[in-house]
Amino acid sequence: MSVPTDDSGADETLSEEERRVVDSISNLGSQWRLLVLYDLQNSEKRFNELKRSTGASSRTLSRVLDDLQEMGHVERRLEEDAPVATYYSLTAKGESLCPVFDELEKWSKKWEADSAADVNSSE
């Protein structure tokens, strides 16, 4: 894959498949979006739970959740009974990313272990 060093001609140098991968990563690629999606894998969470678990500021988390809702990855559920609460969960589109996160975890564990072994063998 030939990725240009600047934005000029990017669409001309990438195949359709390469462009889809790059576009997908670009759309999801912010640290906060990925962290929120990853955090919502196992259960729906309230705003403050997500804020604590991700470490995002209220402003950042609010913006990210709005973006993810607009993209169709996250849904918002408002429970109006006292106490009023807002819950966020993955949509089917968001859940379809769970296997990707699983594979990334496996990949990082493998290479983290390999990197540690390389460091230990060079000592």
Side-chain angles (χ1 to χ4, degrees):
M1 171 165 65
S2 169
V3 178
T5 55
D6 61 14
D7 288 339
S8 62
D11 289 342
E12 296 167 10
T13 60
L14 298 177
S15 72
E16 186 175 338
E17 293 82 14
E18 291 168 333
R19 192 173 315 112
R20 272 197 293 268
V21 170
V22 170
D23 288 347
S24 295
I25 291 170
S26 294
N27 286 333
L28 290 174
S30 87
Q31 165 191 334
W32 296 114
R33 286 181 189 164
L34 292 171
L35 194 54
V36 168
L37 289 168
Y38 183 81
D39 203 37
L40 287 172
Q41 283 186 102
N42 299 317
S43 65
E44 107 180 322
K45 293 192 175 178
R46 293 174 67 164
F47 184 89
N48 283 335
E49 290 176 297
L50 282 167
K51 185 177 171 191
R52 274 191 303 275
S53 62
T54 63
S57 69
S58 294
R59 182 176 179 209
T60 297
L61 184 57
S62 181
R63 180 184 47 80
V64 166
L65 287 167
D66 287 346
D67 289 348
L68 290 171
Q69 279 183 263
E70 189 176 304
M71 295 166 70
H73 295 292
V74 169
E75 60 189 5
R76 179 178 178 249
R77 179 176 67 85
L78 183 62
E79 197 168 281
E80 295 183 17
D81 296 335
V84 174
T86 304
Y87 293 88
Y88 295 90
S89 61
L90 295 179
T91 63
K93 185 177 181 182
E95 286 176 0
S96 70
L97 289 165
C98 292
V100 174
F101 287 127
D102 293 342
E103 289 302 314
L104 283 170
E105 275 186 62
K106 289 177 193 173
W107 179 83
S108 67
K109 285 178 184 175
K110 176 191 180 342
W111 290 105
E112 184 178 284
D114 286 354
S115 294
D118 289 345
V119 169
N120 291 335
S121 66
S122 67
E123 292 178 346

